[in-house]
Amino acid sequence: MEDAELTREVVEKHLSTLGRSGQSFAYQFLTVPRQNLKNVSILSEYTHLRKLELPYNKIKDLSCVSHMPNLIILDASHNELSTFFGFQPPKYLKEVNFSHNQISEMKDLSAYFSLNKLILDYNSITEIKGVEKCSSLIHFSIAHNKISRISGLNNLPLKHLCLGTAADRGNLIKKIENLHTLRALQFLDISSNRIHSLSGLQNLPLLGSINFESNMISEIKEVSYLHDILLLRELNLKRNPVQEQPDYRMMVIFLLNRLTELDELAVTAVDKVTAVNKYDPPLEVVAARDHMTHMVYQHLQPQVIFDSTLPSLDAPYPLLILTGPQACGKRELAHKLCQDFCDYFAYGACHTTRGPYFGEEDGSDYHFVLEEEFQNMIRMGRFVQTMQYGGHWYGLSREAIESAAREGLACCVHMEIEGVYSLKNSYFEPRYILLIPTSTEEYISRMKARGLYSNAQIDTAVSRIDLYVRVNREQPGFFDSVIPSDNREEAYMRLKQIVEDFLGLHEQGAEGDRTRVIPDSSSQGENGEALASQKVEVNPADTDSMNYWNKVQARLTPQKTSAELASIHRKKQMLREALMGKSPGVYPQLFKRHAHTAPSLLGPPSQPGASSSLMPSFGRPLSDRIEDSSSEESRASSGLSVHSSAGALSAGSPAEGLDAGSGPKVEPLDISVLGQNLESLKDPLESGLTPDAPRSVPEQASPTPLTTSPGRPGSNAKPILPPIPSGRKGDTPSSRQSLTGQ
Ligand SMILES: Nc1ncnc2c1ncn2[C@@H]1O[C@H](COP(=O)(O)OP(=O)(O)OP(=O)(O)O)[C@@H](O)[C@H]1O
């Protein structure tokens, strides 16, 4: 088509929207696209126009606009304009589109004070200027020009700024600068430039959408510059090198968790939860994972029930946990408590991969192990819980708890709150005492005085005080007691008092003449809950005190909820039914264990060496192994291959005389013999006895003196409940004999 001149006929054909103009009516809109128009001077006669659209023509001169004082919208895109606003400013001109022209330079537009929207895409402009005084400009687009610096936009009320176009070449901008005064900015397109960093966008509080496609962002950490833009919902980083980073999307979603769209893909709630659980899991999630890990690894090991240390079917080993931020004094207090209450508590030394501080001895504060050994222990199912603190692993092993239990003592452990969360998932029901610094200054100076910690470590420890305080505030009952730890003596006095309360213990008479005051069995609810008001004295030599252990446990265990009580009731019911031959569940198996293992029923226990027959090589024929496993001897001295919950059912350990590398190997229970043994146990049960009901001495007594089996778990030489009414290691042989009926 040839170049054309706009004629009156053509104009009249394209006029529209009749409206009042002064005293008369006139057409106000003219749209003449794609006519190859070069000369539009005739428009000087159409002074009433308010909207003029002439896109896709060949116009070079727009001086006619000077005669349109009422013009509001001008679209001269896709023409051949090289002059920037080559006309007198119409007073109300609001929107101008000069995109796809040949403009190379911007000029002063201060006379265009109504200008609201200016589009200059696809020109050859090298510098943004002339708009500084356009105090109404809220939409400015200058994509695909030759801009190399962001400038000339200071303090404009811009809401929408476009400096690039994802579809094509944007500009030549290398860094984000001079945008900080654009406090109203909501949308920024800066795609297809050469920008390496997102720095410079920090102070744009209303920014909701950023298109950064086709730039040169390569580090995920760059998105942290956007972290404080609270309204940011859409971010496009497509075609940036950062996309190659492993886990890019999840990490960005985690860092900018308010996004609803990333790289033009919706960010779902599931994405957000997954990202948080991956990169900053809540304590509950960390604990659940930790617990699951140890349960899985424990279950991968052959399971053994060491009934010699099981307090009862329902009661896990007693545990006292001192928790609080690092260096709050809990370790010191734990040691002192175990010293002063050595009849009740043994210090549970955790394992750690950190090196010993000066003066720390292996096995006394911690078991210091290498990372590889620690990981190996995890895989061997040796831990009840683990956590990483300050780049080191810490873990409480089953063995730490059981070795205390073997001595008839509760295990006292100190740990961080993550460990508490993890233990709360486990079968154990410890008492938790929080030791919390109330004076930050004192806490800091104490840490500094120890000379062990860097400033960063101190900062971390201090910042965690809030975590403890928050948990204590938001989850009443999470800790059984809270003690300010600023003054060690006072803290210890308080701790001592609390522990004595837990144990129902009173100092009576001279030092060393302690009388334990614990709830009478008759004052306990059916499910072991302590009725604190009624107390009886316990004489260590009194055979009625066989349930001493249970009573200590009841004291250390928080009151059960009604749901827990109902569950326990159900379990007991199952047990009764099983023993009556109604159900072959796991409880009859547990009970059968006693039938087989109790020496009074099966004769003397096997010697330690005999346990090798309990560890058949897997290469042997199955029939042999079955035969072995059904032999009286093997059953008498083995545990059971039963999957368990943490705590009551324990994996073997070197201390237990089992192969550390492979763990104890035991045959599965032979169900066929279960029935017979259940029969033999019916009578006691029908007479109202349950495994955790108090028993008379002859029922529990072992024909083998305890001294022949020094409390080795799994030896099954002891009765089910450890006959240690005084609960201490210092029992005299005579008192033991009287307890065991020997
Ligand atoms: N098994 C565990 N689980 C969780 N936290 C643990 C465990 N064992 C130790 N911790 C805790 O890890 C933190 C770091 O232990 P570490 O012994 O290195 O610190 P510390 O400087 O000696 O302080 P503290 O005097 O509190 O022990 C301490 O708060 C400690 O109580």
Side-chain angles (χ1 to χ4, degrees), residues 140 148 155 169 228 286 292 389 400 404 438 485 496 498 539 561 569 591 616 629:
F140 180 49
S148 56
N155 297 312
R169 184 174 62 76
D228 294 333
V286 176
M292 273 191 307
Y389 186 90
T438 58
S485 67
K496 197 166 161 240
I498 289 167
N539 177 350
T561 63
H569 182 74
F591 203 88
S629 69

PDB file of all heavy atoms in Angstrom, residues 140 148 155 169 228 286 292 389 400 404 438 485 496 498 539 561 569 591 616 629:
ATOM      1  N   PHE A 140       4.826   3.784  33.607  1.00  0.00           N
ATOM      2  CA  PHE A 140       5.879   4.191  32.676  1.00  0.00           C
ATOM      3  C   PHE A 140       6.535   2.937  32.113  1.00  0.00           C
ATOM      4  O   PHE A 140       6.989   2.063  32.860  1.00  0.00           O
ATOM      5  CB  PHE A 140       6.922   5.044  33.403  1.00  0.00           C
ATOM      6  CG  PHE A 140       8.047   5.514  32.518  1.00  0.00           C
ATOM      7  CD1 PHE A 140       7.796   6.121  31.287  1.00  0.00           C
ATOM      8  CD2 PHE A 140       9.375   5.362  32.904  1.00  0.00           C
ATOM      9  CE1 PHE A 140       8.836   6.573  30.481  1.00  0.00           C
ATOM     10  CE2 PHE A 140      10.420   5.808  32.110  1.00  0.00           C
ATOM     11  CZ  PHE A 140      10.147   6.412  30.884  1.00  0.00           C
ATOM     12  N   SER A 148      20.934   2.096  29.683  1.00  0.00           N
ATOM     13  CA  SER A 148      21.960   1.311  30.371  1.00  0.00           C
ATOM     14  C   SER A 148      21.955   1.581  31.876  1.00  0.00           C
ATOM     15  O   SER A 148      22.567   0.843  32.637  1.00  0.00           O
ATOM     16  CB  SER A 148      23.340   1.596  29.800  1.00  0.00           C
ATOM     17  OG  SER A 148      23.596   2.984  29.861  1.00  0.00           O
ATOM     18  N   ASN A 155      11.278   9.796  42.965  1.00  0.00           N
ATOM     19  CA  ASN A 155      10.090  10.326  43.644  1.00  0.00           C
ATOM     20  C   ASN A 155       8.828  10.344  42.806  1.00  0.00           C
ATOM     21  O   ASN A 155       7.843  11.002  43.182  1.00  0.00           O
ATOM     22  CB  ASN A 155      10.358  11.734  44.186  1.00  0.00           C
ATOM     23  CG  ASN A 155      11.460  11.699  45.226  1.00  0.00           C
ATOM     24  OD1 ASN A 155      11.439  10.867  46.125  1.00  0.00           O
ATOM     25  ND2 ASN A 155      12.455  12.560  45.073  1.00  0.00           N
ATOM     26  N   ARG A 169      14.593  -8.383  23.505  1.00  0.00           N
ATOM     27  CA  ARG A 169      15.660  -7.674  24.189  1.00  0.00           C
ATOM     28  C   ARG A 169      15.041  -6.582  25.061  1.00  0.00           C
ATOM     29  O   ARG A 169      14.126  -5.873  24.647  1.00  0.00           O
ATOM     30  CB  ARG A 169      16.589  -7.048  23.134  1.00  0.00           C
ATOM     31  CG  ARG A 169      17.803  -6.357  23.705  1.00  0.00           C
ATOM     32  CD  ARG A 169      18.721  -5.901  22.578  1.00  0.00           C
ATOM     33  NE  ARG A 169      18.075  -4.923  21.695  1.00  0.00           N
ATOM     34  CZ  ARG A 169      17.893  -3.642  22.011  1.00  0.00           C
ATOM     35  NH1 ARG A 169      18.254  -3.196  23.176  1.00  0.00           N
ATOM     36  NH2 ARG A 169      17.331  -2.822  21.152  1.00  0.00           N
ATOM     37  N   ASP A 228      11.994  -8.837  52.535  1.00  0.00           N
ATOM     38  CA  ASP A 228      11.191  -7.901  53.331  1.00  0.00           C
ATOM     39  C   ASP A 228      10.128  -7.168  52.529  1.00  0.00           C
ATOM     40  O   ASP A 228       9.483  -6.247  53.029  1.00  0.00           O
ATOM     41  CB  ASP A 228      12.108  -6.892  54.025  1.00  0.00           C
ATOM     42  CG  ASP A 228      12.987  -7.579  55.055  1.00  0.00           C
ATOM     43  OD1 ASP A 228      12.552  -8.630  55.580  1.00  0.00           O
ATOM     44  OD2 ASP A 228      14.104  -7.112  55.312  1.00  0.00           O
ATOM     45  N   VAL A 286      10.920 -31.775  63.234  1.00  0.00           N
ATOM     46  CA  VAL A 286      12.279 -32.290  63.474  1.00  0.00           C
ATOM     47  C   VAL A 286      12.194 -33.493  64.416  1.00  0.00           C
ATOM     48  O   VAL A 286      12.800 -34.543  64.182  1.00  0.00           O
ATOM     49  CB  VAL A 286      13.155 -31.203  64.147  1.00  0.00           C
ATOM     50  CG1 VAL A 286      14.526 -31.755  64.489  1.00  0.00           C
ATOM     51  CG2 VAL A 286      13.295 -30.006  63.238  1.00  0.00           C
ATOM     52  N   MET A 292      11.102 -41.031  64.123  1.00  0.00           N
ATOM     53  CA  MET A 292      10.864 -42.049  63.089  1.00  0.00           C
ATOM     54  C   MET A 292      12.159 -42.731  62.695  1.00  0.00           C
ATOM     55  O   MET A 292      12.222 -43.943  62.544  1.00  0.00           O
ATOM     56  CB  MET A 292      10.226 -41.396  61.857  1.00  0.00           C
ATOM     57  CG  MET A 292       8.735 -41.334  61.965  1.00  0.00           C
ATOM     58  SD  MET A 292       7.949 -40.875  60.436  1.00  0.00           S
ATOM     59  CE  MET A 292       8.728 -39.406  59.942  1.00  0.00           C
ATOM     60  N   TYR A 389      23.545 -29.932  67.232  1.00  0.00           N
ATOM     61  CA  TYR A 389      23.640 -28.607  67.857  1.00  0.00           C
ATOM     62  C   TYR A 389      25.043 -28.080  67.585  1.00  0.00           C
ATOM     63  O   TYR A 389      26.029 -28.786  67.830  1.00  0.00           O
ATOM     64  CB  TYR A 389      23.388 -28.699  69.371  1.00  0.00           C
ATOM     65  CG  TYR A 389      23.322 -27.341  70.022  1.00  0.00           C
ATOM     66  CD1 TYR A 389      22.112 -26.671  70.140  1.00  0.00           C
ATOM     67  CD2 TYR A 389      24.474 -26.704  70.477  1.00  0.00           C
ATOM     68  CE1 TYR A 389      22.048 -25.405  70.708  1.00  0.00           C
ATOM     69  CE2 TYR A 389      24.411 -25.435  71.035  1.00  0.00           C
ATOM     70  CZ  TYR A 389      23.205 -24.795  71.147  1.00  0.00           C
ATOM     71  OH  TYR A 389      23.128 -23.536  71.694  1.00  0.00           O
ATOM     72  N   ALA A 400      22.225 -45.939  77.708  1.00  0.00           N
ATOM     73  CA  ALA A 400      22.375 -45.008  78.829  1.00  0.00           C
ATOM     74  C   ALA A 400      21.200 -45.167  79.785  1.00  0.00           C
ATOM     75  O   ALA A 400      21.373 -45.180  81.010  1.00  0.00           O
ATOM     76  CB  ALA A 400      22.452 -43.580  78.311  1.00  0.00           C
ATOM     77  N   ALA A 404      21.214 -47.380  83.683  1.00  0.00           N
ATOM     78  CA  ALA A 404      20.684 -46.836  84.932  1.00  0.00           C
ATOM     79  C   ALA A 404      19.610 -47.778  85.478  1.00  0.00           C
ATOM     80  O   ALA A 404      19.585 -48.107  86.662  1.00  0.00           O
ATOM     81  CB  ALA A 404      20.111 -45.450  84.699  1.00  0.00           C
ATOM     82  N   THR A 438      17.037 -15.937  83.390  1.00  0.00           N
ATOM     83  CA  THR A 438      16.108 -14.800  83.324  1.00  0.00           C
ATOM     84  C   THR A 438      16.856 -13.499  83.098  1.00  0.00           C
ATOM     85  O   THR A 438      16.267 -12.503  82.708  1.00  0.00           O
ATOM     86  CB  THR A 438      15.262 -14.689  84.615  1.00  0.00           C
ATOM     87  OG1 THR A 438      16.159 -14.551  85.706  1.00  0.00           O
ATOM     88  CG2 THR A 438      14.397 -15.899  84.823  1.00  0.00           C
ATOM     89  N   SER A 485      17.567 -20.144  86.243  1.00  0.00           N
ATOM     90  CA  SER A 485      18.877 -20.778  86.418  1.00  0.00           C
ATOM     91  C   SER A 485      19.989 -19.772  86.733  1.00  0.00           C
ATOM     92  O   SER A 485      21.151 -20.139  86.794  1.00  0.00           O
ATOM     93  CB  SER A 485      19.248 -21.551  85.153  1.00  0.00           C
ATOM     94  OG  SER A 485      19.461 -20.641  84.096  1.00  0.00           O
ATOM     95  N   LYS A 496      16.022 -29.623  93.760  1.00  0.00           N
ATOM     96  CA  LYS A 496      16.001 -30.668  94.769  1.00  0.00           C
ATOM     97  C   LYS A 496      14.578 -30.816  95.335  1.00  0.00           C
ATOM     98  O   LYS A 496      14.047 -31.912  95.456  1.00  0.00           O
ATOM     99  CB  LYS A 496      16.980 -30.253  95.872  1.00  0.00           C
ATOM    100  CG  LYS A 496      17.389 -31.348  96.787  1.00  0.00           C
ATOM    101  CD  LYS A 496      18.608 -30.895  97.593  1.00  0.00           C
ATOM    102  CE  LYS A 496      18.725 -31.762  98.802  1.00  0.00           C
ATOM    103  NZ  LYS A 496      18.665 -31.126 100.062  1.00  0.00           N
ATOM    104  N   ILE A 498      11.802 -29.921  93.946  1.00  0.00           N
ATOM    105  CA  ILE A 498      10.877 -30.456  92.940  1.00  0.00           C
ATOM    106  C   ILE A 498      11.045 -31.969  92.818  1.00  0.00           C
ATOM    107  O   ILE A 498      10.070 -32.723  92.773  1.00  0.00           O
ATOM    108  CB  ILE A 498      11.128 -29.769  91.574  1.00  0.00           C
ATOM    109  CG1 ILE A 498      10.651 -28.320  91.635  1.00  0.00           C
ATOM    110  CG2 ILE A 498      10.430 -30.496  90.455  1.00  0.00           C
ATOM    111  CD1 ILE A 498      11.111 -27.472  90.475  1.00  0.00           C
ATOM    112  N   ASN A 539       9.552 -49.713 103.522  1.00  0.00           N
ATOM    113  CA  ASN A 539      10.728 -50.296 104.121  1.00  0.00           C
ATOM    114  C   ASN A 539      11.445 -51.109 103.050  1.00  0.00           C
ATOM    115  O   ASN A 539      10.866 -51.998 102.444  1.00  0.00           O
ATOM    116  CB  ASN A 539      10.273 -51.200 105.271  1.00  0.00           C
ATOM    117  CG  ASN A 539      11.440 -51.915 105.901  1.00  0.00           C
ATOM    118  OD1 ASN A 539      12.551 -51.876 105.372  1.00  0.00           O
ATOM    119  ND2 ASN A 539      11.170 -52.566 107.013  1.00  0.00           N
ATOM    120  N   THR A 561      -3.755 -38.728  80.843  1.00  0.00           N
ATOM    121  CA  THR A 561      -5.015 -38.131  80.416  1.00  0.00           C
ATOM    122  C   THR A 561      -6.060 -39.235  80.364  1.00  0.00           C
ATOM    123  O   THR A 561      -5.725 -40.423  80.395  1.00  0.00           O
ATOM    124  CB  THR A 561      -4.885 -37.537  79.014  1.00  0.00           C
ATOM    125  OG1 THR A 561      -4.590 -38.622  78.109  1.00  0.00           O
ATOM    126  CG2 THR A 561      -3.772 -36.514  78.944  1.00  0.00           C
ATOM    127  N   HIS A 569      -6.469 -49.144  79.747  1.00  0.00           N
ATOM    128  CA  HIS A 569      -7.517 -50.068  80.139  1.00  0.00           C
ATOM    129  C   HIS A 569      -7.757 -51.092  79.033  1.00  0.00           C
ATOM    130  O   HIS A 569      -7.880 -52.290  79.280  1.00  0.00           O
ATOM    131  CB  HIS A 569      -8.802 -49.287  80.427  1.00  0.00           C
ATOM    132  CG  HIS A 569      -9.923 -50.166  80.884  1.00  0.00           C
ATOM    133  ND1 HIS A 569      -9.964 -50.705  82.142  1.00  0.00           N
ATOM    134  CD2 HIS A 569     -11.016 -50.633  80.233  1.00  0.00           C
ATOM    135  CE1 HIS A 569     -11.050 -51.467  82.254  1.00  0.00           C
ATOM    136  NE2 HIS A 569     -11.695 -51.429  81.103  1.00  0.00           N
ATOM    137  N   PHE A 591       3.304 -61.889  77.547  1.00  0.00           N
ATOM    138  CA  PHE A 591       3.109 -62.613  78.788  1.00  0.00           C
ATOM    139  C   PHE A 591       3.754 -63.988  78.725  1.00  0.00           C
ATOM    140  O   PHE A 591       4.359 -64.440  79.677  1.00  0.00           O
ATOM    141  CB  PHE A 591       1.614 -62.741  79.097  1.00  0.00           C
ATOM    142  CG  PHE A 591       1.398 -62.956  80.563  1.00  0.00           C
ATOM    143  CD1 PHE A 591       1.274 -61.850  81.396  1.00  0.00           C
ATOM    144  CD2 PHE A 591       1.398 -64.213  81.114  1.00  0.00           C
ATOM    145  CE1 PHE A 591       1.123 -62.015  82.760  1.00  0.00           C
ATOM    146  CE2 PHE A 591       1.246 -64.379  82.470  1.00  0.00           C
ATOM    147  CZ  PHE A 591       1.106 -63.297  83.312  1.00  0.00           C
ATOM    148  N   PRO A 616      21.243 -68.213  65.923  1.00  0.00           N
ATOM    149  CA  PRO A 616      21.550 -69.137  64.843  1.00  0.00           C
ATOM    150  C   PRO A 616      22.048 -68.389  63.635  1.00  0.00           C
ATOM    151  O   PRO A 616      21.550 -67.305  63.332  1.00  0.00           O
ATOM    152  CB  PRO A 616      20.197 -69.783  64.558  1.00  0.00           C
ATOM    153  CG  PRO A 616      19.185 -68.820  65.041  1.00  0.00           C
ATOM    154  CD  PRO A 616      19.814 -68.062  66.170  1.00  0.00           C
ATOM    155  N   SER A 629      14.767 -72.844  68.425  1.00  0.00           N
ATOM    156  CA  SER A 629      14.017 -71.768  69.052  1.00  0.00           C
ATOM    157  C   SER A 629      12.907 -72.311  69.920  1.00  0.00           C
ATOM    158  O   SER A 629      12.423 -71.634  70.804  1.00  0.00           O
ATOM    159  CB  SER A 629      13.439 -70.837  67.991  1.00  0.00           C
ATOM    160  OG  SER A 629      12.439 -71.502  67.293  1.00  0.00           O
TER     161      SER A 629
END
